[in-house]
Coordinates of all heavy atoms in Angstrom, one line a residue:
F1 N 23.7 -30.5 5.6 CA 22.3 -30.6 5.2 C 21.6 -31.7 5.9 O 22.1 -32.8 6.0 CB 22.2 -30.8 3.7 CG 22.8 -29.6 2.9 CD1 24.0 -29.8 2.3 CD2 22.2 -28.4 2.9 CE1 24.6 -28.8 1.5 CE2 22.7 -27.4 2.2 CZ 23.9 -27.5 1.5
V2 N 20.4 -31.5 6.2 CA 19.5 -32.6 6.8 C 18.7 -33.2 5.7 O 17.9 -32.5 5.1 CB 18.6 -32.0 7.9 CG1 17.7 -33.1 8.5 CG2 19.5 -31.4 9.0
K3 N 18.9 -34.5 5.5 CA 18.3 -35.1 4.3 C 16.7 -34.9 4.3 O 16.1 -34.7 3.3 CB 18.6 -36.6 4.3 CG 18.1 -37.3 3.1 CD 18.6 -38.7 3.0 CE 18.2 -39.3 1.7 NZ 18.7 -40.7 1.6
S4 N 16.1 -35.0 5.5 CA 14.6 -34.8 5.5 C 14.1 -33.5 5.1 O 13.0 -33.3 4.6 CB 14.1 -35.1 6.9 OG 14.6 -34.1 7.8
D5 N 15.0 -32.4 5.1 CA 14.6 -31.1 4.6 C 14.4 -31.1 3.1 O 13.8 -30.2 2.6 CB 15.7 -30.1 5.0 CG 15.7 -29.8 6.4 OD1 14.7 -30.1 7.1 OD2 16.7 -29.2 6.9
Y6 N 15.0 -32.1 2.4 CA 14.9 -32.1 0.9 C 14.1 -33.3 0.4 O 14.3 -33.8 -0.6 CB 16.3 -32.2 0.4 CG 17.1 -31.1 0.9 CD1 18.0 -31.2 1.9 CD2 17.0 -29.8 0.3 CE1 18.7 -30.1 2.4 CE2 17.7 -28.7 0.8 CZ 18.5 -28.9 1.8 OH 19.2 -27.8 2.3
N7 N 13.1 -33.7 1.2 CA 12.3 -34.8 0.9 C 10.8 -34.4 0.8 O 10.3 -33.7 1.6 CB 12.4 -35.8 2.1 CG 11.8 -37.1 1.8 OD1 10.8 -37.3 1.0 ND2 12.3 -38.2 2.4
R8 N 10.1 -34.9 -0.2 CA 8.7 -34.6 -0.4 C 7.8 -35.2 0.7 O 6.7 -34.8 0.8 CB 8.2 -35.0 -1.8 CG 8.8 -34.2 -2.9 CD 8.2 -34.5 -4.2 NE 8.8 -33.6 -5.2 CZ 9.1 -33.9 -6.4 NH1 8.8 -35.1 -6.9 NH2 9.6 -33.1 -7.3
D9 N 8.4 -36.0 1.5 CA 7.7 -36.6 2.6 C 7.9 -35.8 3.9 O 7.3 -36.2 4.9 CB 8.1 -38.1 2.8 CG 7.7 -39.0 1.7 OD1 6.6 -38.7 1.0 OD2 8.4 -39.9 1.4
S10 N 8.7 -34.8 3.8 CA 9.0 -34.0 5.0 C 7.8 -33.2 5.5 O 6.9 -32.8 4.8 CB 10.2 -33.1 4.8 OG 9.8 -32.0 4.0
K11 N 7.9 -32.9 6.8 CA 6.8 -32.1 7.4 C 6.8 -30.7 6.8 O 5.7 -30.1 6.5 CB 7.1 -32.0 8.9 CG 6.0 -31.3 9.7 CD 6.2 -31.3 11.2 CE 5.1 -30.6 11.9 NZ 5.3 -30.7 13.3
K12 N 8.0 -30.1 6.5 CA 8.0 -28.8 5.9 C 7.3 -28.8 4.5 O 6.6 -27.8 4.2 CB 9.5 -28.3 5.8 CG 9.6 -26.9 5.2 CD 11.1 -26.5 5.1 CE 11.1 -25.1 4.5 NZ 12.5 -24.6 4.3
Y13 N 7.5 -29.8 3.7 CA 6.9 -29.9 2.4 C 5.4 -29.9 2.6 O 4.7 -29.1 1.9 CB 7.4 -31.1 1.7 CG 6.8 -31.3 0.3 CD1 7.2 -30.7 -0.8 CD2 5.7 -32.2 0.2 CE1 6.6 -30.9 -2.0 CE2 5.1 -32.4 -1.0 CZ 5.6 -31.7 -2.1 OH 5.0 -31.9 -3.3
H14 N 4.9 -30.8 3.4 CA 3.4 -30.9 3.6 C 2.8 -29.6 4.2 O 1.7 -29.2 3.8 CB 3.1 -32.1 4.5 CG 3.4 -33.4 3.7 ND1 2.6 -33.8 2.7 CD2 4.3 -34.3 3.8 CE1 3.1 -34.9 2.2 NE2 4.1 -35.3 2.9
N15 N 3.5 -29.0 5.1 CA 3.0 -27.7 5.6 C 3.0 -26.6 4.6 O 2.0 -25.8 4.5 CB 3.9 -27.2 6.8 CG 3.7 -28.0 8.1 OD1 2.7 -28.7 8.2 ND2 4.7 -28.0 9.0
L16 N 4.0 -26.6 3.7 CA 3.9 -25.6 2.6 C 2.8 -25.9 1.6 O 2.2 -25.0 1.1 CB 5.3 -25.5 1.9 CG 5.4 -24.4 0.9 CD1 5.1 -23.0 1.5 CD2 6.8 -24.4 0.3
V17 N 2.6 -27.2 1.3 CA 1.4 -27.5 0.5 C 0.1 -27.1 1.1 O -0.7 -26.5 0.4 CB 1.4 -29.1 0.2 CG1 0.1 -29.5 -0.4 CG2 2.6 -29.5 -0.7
K18 N -0.1 -27.3 2.4 CA -1.3 -26.9 3.0 C -1.4 -25.3 3.0 O -2.5 -24.8 2.7 CB -1.3 -27.3 4.5 CG -1.5 -28.8 4.7 CD -1.5 -29.1 6.2 CE -1.4 -30.6 6.4 NZ -1.3 -30.9 7.8
Y19 N -0.3 -24.6 3.2 CA -0.3 -23.2 3.1 C -0.7 -22.7 1.7 O -1.6 -21.8 1.6 CB 1.0 -22.6 3.6 CG 1.0 -21.1 3.6 CD1 0.7 -20.4 4.8 CD2 1.3 -20.3 2.5 CE1 0.7 -19.1 4.9 CE2 1.3 -18.9 2.6 CZ 1.0 -18.3 3.8 OH 1.0 -16.9 3.8
Y20 N -0.1 -23.3 0.7 CA -0.4 -22.9 -0.7 C -1.9 -23.2 -1.0 O -2.5 -22.3 -1.6 CB 0.5 -23.6 -1.6 CG 0.1 -23.4 -3.1 CD1 0.4 -22.1 -3.6 CD2 -0.6 -24.3 -3.8 CE1 -0.1 -21.8 -4.9 CE2 -1.0 -24.0 -5.1 CZ -0.7 -22.8 -5.7 OH -1.2 -22.5 -6.9
L21 N -2.4 -24.3 -0.6 CA -3.8 -24.6 -0.9 C -4.8 -23.7 -0.2 O -5.8 -23.4 -0.7 CB -4.1 -26.1 -0.5 CG -3.4 -27.1 -1.4 CD1 -3.6 -28.5 -0.9 CD2 -3.8 -27.0 -2.9
K22 N -4.4 -23.2 1.0 CA -5.2 -22.3 1.8 C -5.2 -20.9 1.2 O -6.2 -20.3 1.1 CB -4.8 -22.4 3.2 CG -5.7 -21.5 4.1 CD -5.4 -21.7 5.6 CE -6.3 -20.8 6.5 NZ -6.1 -21.0 7.9
Y23 N -4.0 -20.4 1.0 CA -3.8 -19.0 0.6 C -3.5 -18.7 -0.9 O -3.6 -17.6 -1.3 CB -2.7 -18.4 1.5 CG -3.0 -18.4 2.9 CD1 -2.4 -19.3 3.8 CD2 -4.0 -17.5 3.5 CE1 -2.7 -19.3 5.1 CE2 -4.3 -17.5 4.8 CZ -3.6 -18.4 5.6 OH -4.0 -18.5 7.0
G24 N -3.1 -19.8 -1.6 CA -2.9 -19.6 -3.0 C -1.5 -18.9 -3.4 O -1.4 -18.5 -4.5
I25 N -0.6 -18.9 -2.4 CA 0.7 -18.2 -2.7 C 1.8 -19.0 -2.0 O 1.5 -19.8 -1.0 CB 0.8 -16.8 -2.2 CG1 0.6 -16.7 -0.7 CG2 -0.2 -15.9 -2.9 CD1 0.9 -15.4 0.0
I26 N 3.0 -18.9 -2.5 CA 4.2 -19.3 -1.8 C 4.9 -18.1 -1.3 O 5.3 -17.2 -2.1 CB 5.1 -20.1 -2.8 CG1 4.4 -21.4 -3.2 CG2 6.5 -20.4 -2.1 CD1 5.2 -22.3 -4.2
K27 N 4.9 -17.9 0.0 CA 5.3 -16.6 0.6 C 6.8 -16.4 0.6 O 7.3 -15.3 0.5 CB 4.7 -16.4 2.0 CG 5.2 -17.4 3.0 CD 4.6 -17.2 4.3 CE 5.0 -18.3 5.3 NZ 4.6 -18.0 6.6
N28 N 7.6 -17.5 0.8 CA 9.0 -17.3 0.8 C 9.7 -17.5 -0.5 O 9.3 -18.4 -1.3 CB 9.6 -18.4 1.8 CG 9.2 -18.1 3.2 OD1 8.9 -17.0 3.6 ND2 9.0 -19.2 4.0
P29 N 10.6 -16.6 -0.9 CA 11.2 -16.7 -2.2 C 12.3 -17.8 -2.2 O 12.8 -18.2 -1.2 CB 11.9 -15.3 -2.4 CG 12.2 -14.9 -1.0 CD 11.0 -15.4 -0.1
I30 N 12.5 -18.3 -3.4 CA 13.7 -19.1 -3.6 C 14.9 -18.2 -3.9 O 14.7 -17.0 -4.3 CB 13.5 -20.1 -4.8 CG1 13.4 -19.4 -6.1 CG2 12.4 -21.1 -4.5 CD1 13.4 -20.4 -7.3
I31 N 16.1 -18.7 -3.6 CA 17.3 -17.8 -3.8 C 18.1 -18.6 -4.8 O 18.4 -19.8 -4.7 CB 18.0 -17.6 -2.5 CG1 17.1 -16.9 -1.5 CG2 19.3 -16.8 -2.7 CD1 17.7 -16.8 -0.1
V32 N 18.5 -17.8 -5.9 CA 19.4 -18.3 -6.9 C 20.5 -17.4 -7.2 O 20.5 -16.3 -6.8 CB 18.6 -18.5 -8.3 CG1 17.4 -19.5 -8.1 CG2 18.1 -17.2 -8.8
D33 N 21.6 -18.0 -7.8 CA 22.7 -17.1 -8.1 C 22.5 -16.6 -9.5 O 21.4 -16.8 -10.1 CB 24.1 -17.9 -8.0 CG 24.3 -19.0 -9.1 OD1 23.4 -19.1 -10.0 OD2 25.2 -19.7 -9.0
R34 N 23.4 -15.8 -10.1 CA 23.2 -15.2 -11.4 C 23.1 -16.1 -12.5 O 22.6 -15.8 -13.6 CB 24.3 -14.2 -11.6 CG 25.7 -14.8 -11.8 CD 26.7 -13.8 -12.1 NE 28.0 -14.3 -12.0 CZ 29.1 -13.7 -11.5 NH1 28.9 -12.5 -11.1 NH2 30.2 -14.3 -11.4
N35 N 23.5 -17.4 -12.3 CA 23.3 -18.4 -13.3 C 22.1 -19.3 -13.1 O 21.9 -20.3 -13.7 CB 24.6 -19.3 -13.3 CG 25.8 -18.6 -13.7 OD1 25.8 -17.8 -14.7 ND2 26.9 -18.8 -12.9
L36 N 21.2 -18.8 -12.2 CA 20.0 -19.4 -11.9 C 20.1 -20.8 -11.2 O 19.3 -21.7 -11.3 CB 19.0 -19.5 -13.1 CG 18.7 -18.2 -13.7 CD1 17.8 -18.4 -14.9 CD2 18.1 -17.2 -12.7
V37 N 21.3 -21.0 -10.5 CA 21.5 -22.2 -9.7 C 20.8 -22.0 -8.4 O 21.0 -21.0 -7.7 CB 23.0 -22.4 -9.5 CG1 23.2 -23.6 -8.6 CG2 23.7 -22.7 -10.8
L38 N 20.0 -22.9 -8.0 CA 19.2 -22.8 -6.8 C 20.1 -22.9 -5.6 O 20.8 -23.9 -5.4 CB 18.1 -24.0 -6.7 CG 17.2 -24.0 -5.6 CD1 16.3 -22.7 -5.6 CD2 16.3 -25.2 -5.6
L39 N 20.1 -21.9 -4.7 CA 20.9 -21.9 -3.5 C 20.1 -22.2 -2.3 O 20.6 -22.8 -1.3 CB 21.6 -20.5 -3.4 CG 22.5 -20.1 -4.5 CD1 23.0 -18.7 -4.3 CD2 23.6 -21.0 -4.7
D40 N 18.8 -21.8 -2.3 CA 17.9 -22.0 -1.1 C 16.5 -22.0 -1.6 O 16.2 -21.3 -2.6 CB 18.1 -21.0 -0.1 CG 17.5 -21.3 1.2 OD1 17.3 -22.5 1.5 OD2 17.1 -20.4 2.0
G41 N 15.6 -22.8 -1.0 CA 14.2 -22.8 -1.3 C 13.8 -24.0 -2.1 O 12.9 -23.9 -2.9
L42 N 14.5 -25.1 -1.9 CA 14.1 -26.3 -2.7 C 12.7 -26.8 -2.4 O 12.0 -27.1 -3.3 CB 15.1 -27.5 -2.3 CG 14.8 -28.8 -3.0 CD1 14.9 -28.7 -4.5 CD2 15.7 -29.9 -2.5
I43 N 12.3 -26.7 -1.2 CA 10.9 -27.1 -0.8 C 9.9 -26.2 -1.6 O 8.9 -26.7 -2.1 CB 10.6 -27.1 0.7 CG1 11.6 -28.1 1.4 CG2 9.2 -27.4 1.0 CD1 11.4 -29.5 1.0
E44 N 10.1 -24.9 -1.6 CA 9.3 -24.0 -2.3 C 9.2 -24.3 -3.8 O 8.2 -24.3 -4.4 CB 9.7 -22.5 -2.0 CG 9.5 -22.0 -0.6 CD 10.5 -22.5 0.4 OE1 11.4 -23.2 0.1 OE2 10.3 -22.1 1.6
Y45 N 10.4 -24.6 -4.3 CA 10.5 -25.0 -5.7 C 9.7 -26.3 -6.0 O 9.0 -26.3 -7.0 CB 12.0 -25.2 -6.1 CG 12.1 -25.8 -7.5 CD1 12.0 -25.0 -8.6 CD2 12.4 -27.1 -7.7 CE1 12.1 -25.6 -9.9 CE2 12.5 -27.7 -8.9 CZ 12.4 -26.9 -10.0 OH 12.5 -27.5 -11.3
L46 N 9.8 -27.3 -5.2 CA 9.1 -28.5 -5.4 C 7.6 -28.3 -5.3 O 6.8 -28.9 -6.1 CB 9.5 -29.6 -4.3 CG 11.0 -30.1 -4.5 CD1 11.3 -31.0 -3.3 CD2 11.2 -30.8 -5.8
V47 N 7.1 -27.5 -4.4 CA 5.7 -27.2 -4.3 C 5.2 -26.4 -5.6 O 4.2 -26.7 -6.2 CB 5.3 -26.4 -3.0 CG1 3.9 -26.0 -3.0 CG2 5.6 -27.3 -1.8
A48 N 6.0 -25.5 -6.0 CA 5.6 -24.7 -7.2 C 5.6 -25.6 -8.4 O 4.7 -25.5 -9.3 CB 6.7 -23.6 -7.4
K49 N 6.5 -26.5 -8.5 CA 6.5 -27.5 -9.6 C 5.3 -28.4 -9.6 O 4.7 -28.7 -10.6 CB 7.8 -28.3 -9.6 CG 8.0 -29.1 -10.8 CD 9.4 -29.6 -10.9 CE 9.6 -30.5 -12.1 NZ 10.9 -30.8 -12.4
K50 N 5.0 -28.9 -8.4 CA 3.8 -29.8 -8.2 C 2.5 -29.1 -8.7 O 1.7 -29.8 -9.3 CB 3.7 -30.1 -6.7 CG 2.4 -30.9 -6.4 CD 2.3 -31.2 -4.9 CE 1.0 -31.9 -4.5 NZ 1.2 -33.4 -4.5
Y51 N 2.4 -27.8 -8.5 CA 1.1 -27.1 -8.9 C 1.3 -26.3 -10.2 O 0.5 -25.5 -10.5 CB 0.7 -26.3 -7.7 CG 0.2 -27.1 -6.6 CD1 0.9 -27.3 -5.4 CD2 -1.1 -27.8 -6.6 CE1 0.5 -28.2 -4.4 CE2 -1.5 -28.6 -5.6 CZ -0.7 -28.8 -4.5 OH -1.1 -29.6 -3.5
N52 N 2.4 -26.6 -10.9 CA 2.6 -26.0 -12.2 C 2.5 -24.5 -12.2 O 1.9 -23.8 -13.1 CB 1.7 -26.5 -13.3 CG 1.9 -28.0 -13.5 OD1 3.0 -28.5 -13.6 ND2 0.8 -28.8 -13.5
L53 N 3.1 -23.9 -11.1 CA 3.1 -22.4 -11.0 C 4.0 -21.8 -12.0 O 5.1 -22.3 -12.3 CB 3.5 -22.0 -9.6 CG 2.6 -22.5 -8.4 CD1 3.1 -22.0 -7.1 CD2 1.2 -22.2 -8.6
K54 N 3.5 -20.7 -12.7 CA 4.3 -20.1 -13.7 C 5.3 -19.1 -13.1 O 6.4 -18.8 -13.6 CB 3.4 -19.3 -14.7 CG 2.4 -20.2 -15.4 CD 3.1 -21.2 -16.3 CE 2.1 -22.1 -17.0 NZ 2.6 -23.3 -17.4
T55 N 5.0 -18.5 -11.9 CA 5.8 -17.6 -11.3 C 5.8 -17.8 -9.8 O 4.8 -18.2 -9.2 CB 5.4 -16.1 -11.5 OG1 4.1 -15.9 -11.0 CG2 5.4 -15.7 -13.0
I56 N 7.0 -17.6 -9.2 CA 7.1 -17.7 -7.7 C 8.1 -16.6 -7.3 O 8.9 -16.1 -8.2 CB 7.6 -19.0 -7.2 CG1 9.0 -19.4 -7.8 CG2 6.6 -20.1 -7.5 CD1 9.6 -20.7 -7.2
P57 N 8.1 -16.2 -6.1 CA 9.1 -15.1 -5.6 C 10.5 -15.7 -5.7 O 10.8 -16.8 -5.3 CB 8.7 -14.8 -4.2 CG 7.5 -15.6 -3.9 CD 7.2 -16.6 -5.0
V58 N 11.4 -14.8 -6.3 CA 12.8 -15.2 -6.4 C 13.7 -14.1 -6.1 O 13.4 -12.9 -6.4 CB 13.1 -15.6 -7.9 CG1 14.6 -15.9 -8.1 CG2 12.3 -16.7 -8.4
I59 N 14.8 -14.4 -5.4 CA 15.9 -13.4 -5.1 C 17.1 -13.9 -5.9 O 17.5 -15.1 -5.7 CB 16.2 -13.3 -3.6 CG1 15.0 -12.8 -2.8 CG2 17.4 -12.5 -3.4 CD1 15.2 -12.8 -1.3
I60 N 17.6 -13.0 -6.7 CA 18.8 -13.4 -7.5 C 20.0 -12.7 -6.9 O 20.0 -11.4 -6.8 CB 18.6 -12.9 -9.0 CG1 17.4 -13.6 -9.6 CG2 19.9 -13.2 -9.8 CD1 17.1 -13.1 -11.0
L61 N 21.0 -13.5 -6.5 CA 22.2 -12.9 -5.9 C 23.2 -12.8 -7.0 O 23.7 -13.8 -7.6 CB 22.7 -13.8 -4.8 CG 21.7 -14.1 -3.6 CD1 22.4 -15.0 -2.6 CD2 21.4 -12.7 -2.9
E62 N 23.6 -11.6 -7.4 CA 24.4 -11.3 -8.5 C 25.9 -11.6 -8.2 O 26.7 -11.9 -9.0 CB 24.3 -9.8 -8.9 CG 23.0 -9.5 -9.5 CD 22.7 -10.1 -10.9 OE1 23.7 -10.4 -11.6 OE2 21.6 -10.4 -11.2
N63 N 26.3 -11.4 -6.9 CA 27.8 -11.5 -6.6 C 28.1 -12.7 -5.8 O 29.0 -12.7 -5.0 CB 28.2 -10.2 -5.8 CG 28.0 -9.0 -6.6 OD1 28.4 -9.0 -7.8 ND2 27.6 -7.9 -6.0
V64 N 27.4 -13.8 -6.1 CA 27.7 -15.1 -5.4 C 28.0 -16.1 -6.5 O 27.3 -16.2 -7.5 CB 26.5 -15.5 -4.6 CG1 26.7 -16.9 -4.0 CG2 26.1 -14.5 -3.6
E65 N 29.1 -16.9 -6.2 CA 29.4 -18.0 -7.1 C 29.7 -19.3 -6.3 O 30.3 -19.2 -5.2 CB 30.7 -17.7 -7.9 CG 30.4 -16.7 -9.0 CD 31.6 -16.6 -9.9 OE1 32.3 -17.6 -10.2 OE2 31.9 -15.4 -10.3
L66 N 29.2 -20.4 -6.7 CA 29.6 -21.7 -6.1 C 30.9 -22.1 -6.6 O 31.2 -22.1 -7.8 CB 28.5 -22.7 -6.4 CG 27.1 -22.5 -5.8 CD1 26.2 -23.6 -6.3 CD2 27.2 -22.4 -4.3
I67 N 31.8 -22.5 -5.7 CA 33.1 -22.9 -6.0 C 33.3 -24.4 -5.8 O 32.8 -25.0 -4.9 CB 34.2 -22.2 -5.2 CG1 34.1 -20.7 -5.5 CG2 35.6 -22.7 -5.5 CD1 35.0 -19.9 -4.6

């Protein structure tokens, strides 16, 4: 993992904030396992949390477990 990918100061985070403010949506889904553990999409989650979004796109992987 690249630490800057998980930072609110990252370029990806700021680009997603700009996109959300312009279009009003988060286009990429977050990915969670069946226990709702976040597997991918941390930046999307952080932006959704910042703007108190009630719903965002989610893909639930039923047959995946973290070991």
